[in-house]
Every structure is written in C-alpha cells, then in structure tokens.
Amino acid sequence: MKLDKLVGERFKEKPSDCVIDSHALMMRGGYMKDVAKGIYSQFMPLKRTCQKIEGIIRQEMNAIDGQEVLFPVALPASLWDESGRYESVGSELLRFTDRNGSKMVLGMTHEEAAVHLVRDYAKSYNNYPFMIYQIQTKFRDEARPRAGLIRVREFTMKDAYSFHTSQEDLEKYYDICYDAYNRIFARAGIPEVVTVASDSGMMGGSLAHEYMLLTPIGEDSIAICQDESCDFRANMEAAASIIENTKDAEDQPLTKVSTPNVHTMEDVCDFLKVSLEKSCKAVVYQKNMTDDYVVIFLRGDLDVNETKLTNFLGEDVHPAVITEESGLKAGFIGPVDLTVSGNATIIYDKSLEGSNNLICGANEMDFHCTGLCVERDLPNAEYIDVAKIIEGGICPCCGKKTITISRGIEVGNIFQLGTKYTKSMNMQYLDADGNAQYPIMGCYGIGVGRLAASVCEAHHDEYGPIWPISIAPWQVHLCCLRADDQEAKACADKLYEDLKKKGIEVIYDDRQVRPGVMFSDADLLGVPIRLIVSPRNMKESVVELKTRDKSVEEKVPVDQVMEKVDQLMKDMFDKLNA
C-alpha cells in the first residue's frame, strides 16, 4: 500500500471532544470518522486492525469447536416477547415498526436469535453439546456514548452461545472458553487483562465474569484484594459489602434533637460532631413501572449499589421525586415511626446490623434523632446487602481489610445463562430416558472495536499508537527520505516489492515531504517495524531499522534487511504467543 493513496487525514491537533488518548489518537491518525454520537465510520487502518482481531477470535473459537453462524441485525419483536425482554429491557433497545406495521428491534444481543436458530434442530440429547458464534454488527441506544470506541451505540461484537444437557457440562465448557479468552487477549497484545466476577445484568444467569483492562480511564470500578494469597477480583456492582460495626458498650436513649436547615448526613454529623460511621442515612428511589417509593437505610459513609438494589427488587428504579403527599420529609427521613404513602418498600442494609447510638432522621422537618439502637428500635428489621464495597473494606474471600478500588475497561464477558432463555422460549430436547428437558446455555462476548481501542489505550505514547505485530494495520512501514534521490528511491522501491513478494504487509511512504511530517504520520499509524531509506544511508549501503516501541534501533546492510525483518517479526509473534 502506498501511503499517498491512503484515504484519511492525519493531523497534530487533539480534537476538543476527545477525553481519552486512544480516542484522540484514532481521530488524529485517520482511523475513523464520527457519523453521529456514538457511531463511527472506519478508515482502512482501523478496519485492518479489527479484521485481524476478528481473525484471532475466529481461530480461538474454531479451536474449541465453535461453529460460525450469522444472525440478523433487525429482529421481530415477537422473539423478544418470547423471552420477556421486549418489555423488561429499557430504552437502550431500539424498537421500531416496519412498513407492514410489524414491531421490530435492532439486536443489541442475540440470545433469542440463537435459541430460535437451533431449537428445531437440537431435539435429542445426542445433538449436545455444541457452540455457535457470530461476529456481527449490533446497536445499543446508549444514553451517554463517550471515549471513542470504548462506549458506542453501534458496534461489532463476537457473541457465542453454548448449549448443554447438564450444569457440569456447561461448567466444563465455561472453563474452556475462559482459557480461550485469555489466549485471545494475549495474542491481541494485552495479556495484562484480568478476570473479575460480575453481575449478569439483563443477560440473566447464575455466574458471570468480565475481562478487564485495568486503566485509570476505565468506566467500571473493580474491587481487588491486595493480599498476595487471595485472588479476589469483582466488579463493584457484584462485590459483596462486608461491614464490621463496633458496638458501644452502653445504649443511649433515642433522643430528638433540633438540626435547623441541616439536610445532608455529612452536614448533620458535622453539626453534631459525630463521625459518618455513626449515622444512618436514607436514600430514596422510585420503581420505574409504578413510581412506588423505595427507601433504603444504610450506614452514613456508604453508597447504594443500584445493581444490587434492582436485582433484589426485580425491576429498575430511578431517583425519587419526593412530594408533600408522600409523607417523606426530605433531608430528615429516619427508620423509626416512618410513614410513606402508597405501596412503599423499606430496605435495611447489612451495614446497620448490630450497630447502636446512631444519628438518623426524625421524620420531622429540622429534627434528627441521636441514640438509634438498631436491635432495640427496629426489632423486625431484615437486612440485605445493597451497599457499594469501599476502599479499605473487608475482602469477601479472605476476610481481610485489603480491598482497593481500581478502574477498568470491560473487553469481554462470559455468562452461565442456565435455562433462562430455553425455558421462556420453550426449547426442549428428549433425554436418554425419553423425558423432555430444557438445555442449559452459556454466553460469551467480545467487542471488537472496543478491544482495538483498549489495546491502543494500553500501548501508546504521546505521538501515536504502538500496535502489537498481531493486530497492527501493517507489519512494516517503509519510509523513503528524499524520494527525488535516484539511488534511495531505487533501493526503497526494491524493498517494497521484495516485502510484498514475501507476503509481508507493508505501507510505503515515498512522498516528497519533510522527514518530520513523514515520521509524524508513521508514529500515528503505529506500525511495529519501520525501515528508513535515505541518501545518507545509501552512502553506507545500509537501511535504518527501528521498532515503534523504540526497543530496536540499528543500521542493517541492504542485503540483510529481509532476513532481519523476518527474524524480528518472528520474535514479536513468539513473544505474544508465549
């Protein structure tokens, strides 16, 4: 490929709307162009990188007996009605009506389509187990697309679905996919990806893991145990919050105190000279479907984990609008003598269990209470875990106070779905005894564009991406300085032809531009091996060979260049595959 024919602009300035490096570098490097919010067109460099990622994914999925299929992007709403998700999934599912008046959706995930494809085939236990997968465009009407390809609305994804006749068989295959995913990320150039326990969310199922690239720009919060003997890692949404309360030796009486114009628990504690840990705060939501109030009481220094809350309720919620008719006194809500209009749900977080002498609201304007003793004053309270795990908190695995909170980008996920979809969509098979059974499913996803952006985020400098050899848009970037010099141009042209004949992917820059412009463009394209031909080098009969990561920089005799490039490429691939 000649660089002067490459469609797409490269430029120095960072776009003002790019908040992370990978987004800025991909825009500056001529990788993509925004079409609408969260929707991008891909230029050739990004398309080639994504194709290579897809190739790695295909190899690993085929190696574990995956069968590639293809589902439609547009699906009839009736399929999603069967699973119950047409109504239960929120506005991120794009619904529309076609010209015939039929309700349709754009697929954001394809569990329903997978069951529909195989339920007529897999009617005997002899047909199991099997796995099907696709690499397909999906659309999720994301409310807040951001960070380039990290959070988009339209995206390409590999999703796989396995079908089994026993939980044991699913778990065995789940482990096989778990290992295959580790190989995919290592081959793509980010072996530092870690697995974390996660919440299965709208996918359903009993067990789920996410593959996370730990980075400060990540939008997921990960709880990690720092004890060397413990390997606990979990998405904050799924991490249990364990709180140990130190109970005062003597219970104080419940006493109402004046707190005029003091609303937040932080301000109340400052006003009364008490630590947040010795307070009970109220957080109020409303159910999306009915607007019924949900009042959560938890320790004052903690926050509500909305994922845990919605899982407990079985439905989505939104922050409450507190009206006079509700009976709630905003800023002064407490658990004792609480009255709420309508069919309200009252929840007590486990962080309150066994505590005493707490500050809480008095359910009266400008008043709070001191001396709340949970066992005494709330004898019928039942406790559930709806709080977020905290930095320095107790590890749910080893029990030590060794939790740290890190940020991460989710680059893949795997779920044990169980029979959620096969039951709801009436997919059955006959077992060896002739009894009808529901197959058990697993689900396994990787976002292709997000993975490309994540690799760029993990491996770049201020000048551009540093692509691994396995997914770089090209393997060699050939630069001819002073293309008007006959000897240099002849040498570069021959190298270009020799590289192509050997099957090496090469981008050739023979433009008559300043070296600074040529090298700047080369940095933005991030090709791992760079060859520089110039009149000065021709005087020594050498070619400069550099790697984008600056680990190699040497002059190679012209007649040894091909051999050196071959060996360097082999070393790079061996390092990834190791």
Side-chain angles (χ1 to χ4, degrees), residues 38 42 52 135 188 229 275 296 371 381 383 390 401 408 473 489 497 502 509:
Q42 297 183 4
K52 290 184 177 183
I135 299 175
S229 63
S275 69
I296 302 104
Y383 304 96
I390 58 173
K401 293 183 177 180
K489 184 69 162 63
E497 294 302 323
K502 202 164 181 64
D509 190 354

Side-chain angles (χ1 to χ4, degrees), residues 45 51 70 85 119 170 186 217 259 276 308 335 338 341-342 347 375 387 431 515 538 543 559 568:
Q51 283 177 326
L70 188 65
R85 290 205 297 177
R119 65 180 167 188
L170 168 60
I217 66 94
T259 52
L276 267 176
K308 292 181 185 178
L338 175 68
S341 64
I347 293 173
E375 292 177 355
D431 64 18
M538 288 299 93
V543 171
D559 60 355
L568 190 52

Side-chain angles (χ1 to χ4, degrees), residues 92 203 303:
E92 60 267 34
M203 310 295 290
D303 294 315

Side-chain angles (χ1 to χ4, degrees), residues 421-452:
Y421 294 94
T422 54
K423 270 188 177 179
S424 61
M425 298 183 69
N426 197 32
M427 177 180 176
Q428 292 184 305
Y429 68 92
L430 295 180
D431 64 18
D433 298 322
N435 298 316
Q437 305 286 352
Y438 295 106
I440 301 169
M441 289 179 65
C443 172
Y444 320 88
I446 293 177
V448 176
R450 177 181 282 198
L451 179 51

Side-chain angles (χ1 to χ4, degrees), residues 508-565:
Y508 180 24
D509 190 354
D510 61 350
R511 298 172 298 165
Q512 296 206 29
V513 296
R514 290 181 291 107
V517 173
M518 190 174 286
F519 295 150
S520 177
D521 284 353
D523 286 340
L524 283 169
L525 290 174
V527 176
I529 300 172
R530 188 179 306 177
L531 299 175
I532 302 169
V533 180
S534 69
R536 181 185 298 176
N537 290 333
M538 288 299 93
K539 291 177 182 178
E540 302 176 51
S541 297
V542 297
V543 171
E544 284 184 70
L545 184 152
K546 298 181 178 181
T547 54
R548 179 65 184 83
D549 65 2
K550 299 181 173 62
S551 63
V552 176
E553 185 172 348
E554 58 184 281
K555 292 184 176 181
V556 181
V558 173
D559 60 355
Q560 296 177 24
V561 170
M562 296 301 297
E563 179 184 351
K564 184 67 178 179
V565 168

Side-chain angles (χ1 to χ4, degrees), residues 257-264 267-268 271 330-332 364-368:
V257 296
S258 175
T259 52
N261 298 316
V262 182
H263 295 79
T264 69
D267 290 342
V268 173
F271 182 78
F332 303 94
E364 183 179 340
M365 294 301 293
D366 294 332
F367 284 92
H368 283 78

Side-chain angles (χ1 to χ4, degrees), residues 1-184:
M1 176 76 193
K2 288 285 195 80
L3 194 143
D4 65 346
K5 301 298 183 185
L6 182 63
V7 175
E9 271 189 288
R10 289 160 298 283
F11 51 90
K12 289 184 179 180
E13 299 78 17
K14 177 181 177 180
S16 60
D17 60 341
C18 295
V19 296
I20 66 170
D21 291 337
S22 60
H23 185 195
L25 293 174
M26 284 186 163
M27 296 299 289
R28 287 180 52 210
Y31 289 83
M32 60 190 192
K33 184 176 182 180
D34 56 312
V35 180
K37 205 168 184 181
I39 301 174
Y40 295 89
S41 290
Q42 297 183 4
F43 288 109
M44 187 179 183
L46 180 56
K47 180 62 177 174
R48 288 176 66 91
T49 290
C50 288
Q51 283 177 326
K52 290 184 177 183
I53 291 173
E54 291 173 15
I56 291 171
I57 290 171
R58 281 193 173 93
Q59 289 173 11
E60 294 296 342
M61 292 297 98
N62 293 344
I64 58 173
D65 296 326
Q67 302 177 50
E68 187 169 5
V69 299
L70 188 65
F71 304 123
V73 177
L75 298 163
S78 57
L79 273 185
W80 284 62
D81 270 331
E82 285 187 54
S83 69
R85 290 205 297 177
Y86 185 77
E87 294 294 341
S88 67
V89 172
S91 55
E92 60 267 34
L93 177 65
L94 188 62
R95 302 162 172 87
F96 65 99
T97 303
D98 69 13
R99 65 194 300 169
N100 299 313
S102 299
K103 291 182 179 179
M104 306 286 289
V105 302
L106 287 187
M108 54 189 286
T109 180
H110 278 80
E111 285 75 14
E112 289 85 356
V115 171
H116 174 268
L117 183 68
V118 300
R119 65 180 167 188
D120 293 330
Y121 154 77
K123 290 185 174 296
S124 167
Y125 72 96
N126 288 316
N127 299 125
Y128 293 84
F130 61 90
M131 185 268 272
I132 56 177
Y133 76 94
Q134 68 162 351
I135 299 175
Q136 172 65 295
T137 299
K138 297 178 185 290
F139 189 91
R140 177 187 178 101
D141 202 6
E142 181 64 52
R144 292 177 295 277
R146 61 175 293 275
L149 298 180
I150 300 298
R151 181 179 285 275
V152 290
R153 295 164 71 204
E154 182 180 282
F155 53 98
T156 298
M157 186 172 179
K158 185 282 299 178
D159 48 329
Y161 306 93
S162 64
F163 294 79
H164 309 268
T165 57
S166 70
Q167 179 63 26
E168 293 74 20
D169 191 55
L170 168 60
E171 291 173 2
K172 180 180 177 181
Y173 193 75
Y174 190 85
D175 289 342
I176 291 171
C177 285
Y178 184 97
D179 292 337
Y181 267 42
N182 287 329
R183 289 192 298 273
I184 288 169

